[in-house]
Amino acid sequence: MTEAQPIVPIVVAEGDGIGPEITRATLKMLEAAGARIAPEFIDIGEQVYLRGHSSGIESSSWEKLRRTKVFLKGPITTPQGGGYKSLNVTVRKMLGLFANVRPCVSYTPYVDSLQSNVDMVIVRENEEDLYAGIEHRQSDEVYQCLKLISRPGCERIVRYAFEYARVNGRKKVTCMTKDNIMKITDGLFHQVFDEVAKEYPSIEANHMIIDIGAARIARRPTDFDVVVTLNLYGDILSDIAAEVTGSVGLGGSANVGEQCAMFEAVHGSAPDIAGKGIANPSGMLLGAISMLVHIGQADVATKLHNAWLKTIEDGIHTGDIFSDRVSTKRVGTEEFTAAVIERLGQNPVKLTPVNYVGGASLTMIPQVSETKPAKKERVGVDVFVHWRGDPNDLGEQISALNGDGLKLTMISNRGIKVWPDGIPETRCTDHWRCRFEAITPGKTVTVMQILSLILRVGNARFDPVKTEHLFLFDGKPGFSLGQGQ
Ligand code: NAD
């Protein structure tokens, strides 16, 4: 007698717009394929925001998510402005879902796409970068968003990408950053990538600057295998890749953490087609298929994915991928769902069938090395002031505040050095960075010296809006120079 397979509890949220239509369709296909799951439903998105929960999720839902550890999530509409936080970002960060994994595959000749034979996976860092959402307005003219990057965060995602490549038999990992400009933050990601790549000599590793990398993904996506990148770049790249392969309606994604995982479509709530019964449920279905692999139901995942491939191959297409040239029938969400269910047990003939049984799981928990504390010395401070006027006047007035071991060495505006020796063509805003360093080179500076400097700046009727301390770490500067310095 075969042992009864366990039923796995999962949390399901239908979401907004087309979310309910595609979620119900996906659950119907999962059930017909024999998925051994027990869905527990929660509300997320617009209705929850409107009930006054600024995060788009009720606190009672966290208990279900933390208990089941598996979340199948429909797309949601994030209201613009009004202090609402992105639910997606909140869930990823609260549950520690550090890796966003998006396979991008073309299905030529059955789905029109800009490029054929594409089979790449974008591994996006999911917790850091500008998505920390720490933003401030500091003057009449200037607003800032902090880009936070950590060494463990870089190492975890880079190791994940190499492990993913190794266990899935992939040959190459490409890292994309903008470290020619952001030498400290993106530079760290690139440096960690180079370090980790050495541990995987059988996997080809290369680095590209994000702008040319994105252009190449659009033009020659077949050059890529696994791509690993920071949060914002990964967000943009994965939509480019989804478009290149046919439709955003075809992309599924997994958000993976040490404890929990969340599965979803790459697209949003598509309010323009909501309620019309024409949405393509494929992105959500492919997300759900990754979920089945994750919860140990590779047999069901294989059966469902192959039935879906056969449906696509038979030309039964929703409007977003319909084309007179390759499609045989234009269908709505329900008819497409029925067509997949009808084909359960069949394999595609021309497209390559999948087989997840005995394959790799998505959940790899990379061991991250401990960051050794460095010798840290405070050697100066950048005092940002809100002020209107000419940089030479500012230089003259602020350098009059030199003393107590500190002196003004540079003023920059939006990162460009404007004092000393600025040029009149540089357009300045009302937000100035005044860099003070130790008068005696090499002498460390105390917090008290800095506080008394800020007091002098304030008493001289400047408005200090922020400070950044300048540190040497093991003798190396932990700060960038002003452009032109
Ligand atoms: P979108 O992805 O919702 O839609 C872009 C275009 O693709 C639209 O023309 C839409 O009709 C089409 N499309 C998307 N999914 C489709 C599908 N399954 N079948 C057929 N056509 C499909 O992007 P948007 O319009 O920029 O965003 C709408 C809302 O979704 C916004 O509030 C945004 O914040 C949110 N959003 C949510 C998620 C998420 O929940 N993971 C992701 C992206 C955007």
Side-chain angles (χ1 to χ4, degrees), residues 53-308:
H53 300 273
S54 64
S55 59
I57 182 165
E58 278 162 332
S59 32
S60 55
S61 301
W62 291 111
E63 179 280 319
K64 286 193 176 129
L65 289 169
R66 292 180 61 218
R67 175 169 42 80
T68 63
K69 304 189 186 329
V70 183
F71 187 16
L72 180 61
K73 184 190 137 301
I76 62 144
T77 305
T78 307
Q80 298 288 309
Y84 297 114
K85 286 274 172 196
S86 159
L87 167 81
N88 295 321
V89 176
T90 306
V91 172
R92 287 172 192 156
K93 291 168 92 166
M94 287 284 283
L95 298 180
L97 309 179
F98 67 88
N100 183 281
V101 185
R102 291 192 181 186
C104 306
V105 179
S106 58
Y107 303 97
T108 31
Y110 304 102
V111 176
D112 269 342
S113 61
L114 297 175
Q115 305 283 344
S116 50
N117 301 319
V118 181
D119 180 11
M120 86 175 125
V121 178
I122 296 182
V123 176
R124 161 187 168 196
E125 198 289 314
N126 229 2
E127 294 180 292
E128 306 199 331
D129 197 353
L130 292 160
Y131 288 58
I134 305 175
E135 297 185 272
H136 299 95
R137 178 175 179 180
Q138 295 185 336
S139 67
D140 293 323
E141 294 177 342
V142 174
Y143 302 67
Q144 77 163 16
C145 177
L146 285 184
K147 171 160 172 149
L148 296 177
I149 304 294
S150 74
R151 179 170 258 280
C154 295
E155 192 177 334
R156 190 172 290 120
I157 195 69
V158 168
R159 281 194 184 283
Y160 182 91
F162 276 99
E163 271 306 294
Y164 182 95
R166 187 181 66 77
V167 299
N168 287 287
R170 291 189 172 260
K171 306 276 177 283
K172 182 160 99 176
V173 181
T174 302
C175 171
M176 293 197 193
T177 72
K178 187 81 185 170
D179 68 339
N180 52 334
I181 303 293
M182 283 160 279
K183 298 188 167 73
I184 295 186
T185 48
D186 284 28
L188 173 68
F189 196 93
H190 186 176
Q191 183 192 331
V192 169
F193 176 80
D194 288 346
E195 287 166 18
V196 173
K198 290 199 186 93
E199 297 173 34
Y200 294 85
S202 60
I203 297 174
E204 188 187 336
N206 68 340
H207 172 266
M208 291 176 101
I209 298 294
I210 184 69
D211 33 9
I212 187 63
R216 284 280 157 76
I217 285 186
R219 181 94 185 142
R220 295 215 307 261
T222 47
D223 286 358
F224 298 93
D225 196 347
V226 175
V227 174
V228 64
T229 188
L230 296 99
N231 205 343
L232 174 63
Y233 309 143
D235 198 359
I236 298 167
L237 282 188
S238 38
D239 276 21
I240 295 175
E243 279 291 327
V244 163
T245 52
S247 160
V248 286
L250 291 178
S253 90
N255 296 273
V256 185
E258 291 191 13
Q259 304 274 334
C260 304
M262 172 171 91
F263 303 87
E264 59 183 339
V266 300
H267 58 75
S269 56
D272 52 337
I273 58 164
K276 295 187 177 160
I278 57 171
N280 188 347
S282 300
M284 182 103 184
L285 177 68
L286 292 173
I289 288 170
S290 306
M291 177 192 77
L292 290 175
V293 177
H294 171 75
I295 61 175
Q297 299 185 16
D299 52 338
V300 190
T302 305
K303 186 170 158 191
L304 195 45
H305 200 154
N306 285 330
W308 178 81

Side-chain angles (χ1 to χ4, degrees), residues 138 144 378-387 394-395 398-399 401-403 406-414 418-419 430-437 445-470 479:
Q138 295 185 336
Q144 77 163 16
R378 185 178 284 100
V379 293
V381 63
D382 282 343
V383 181
F384 291 76
V385 295
H386 174 188
W387 185 79
L394 185 67
I398 293 266
S399 50
L401 307 172
N402 286 348
L406 283 163
K407 70 164 192 247
L408 181 70
T409 55
M410 182 261 293
I411 298 176
S412 73
N413 194 294
R414 288 189 298 173
V418 291
W419 182 94
D430 61 358
H431 186 261
W432 309 80
R433 172 177 60 163
C434 305
R435 174 161 289 179
F436 287 86
E437 293 176 78
V445 172
T446 65
V447 173
M448 287 314 291
Q449 281 171 282
I450 290 175
L451 287 177
S452 83
L453 169 70
I454 296 166
L455 273 178
R456 292 202 297 282
V457 171
N459 288 339
R461 298 192 180 280
F462 292 100
D463 184 12
V465 289
K466 144 195 165 94
T467 54
E468 288 288 350
H469 294 201
L470 309 179
F479 47 90

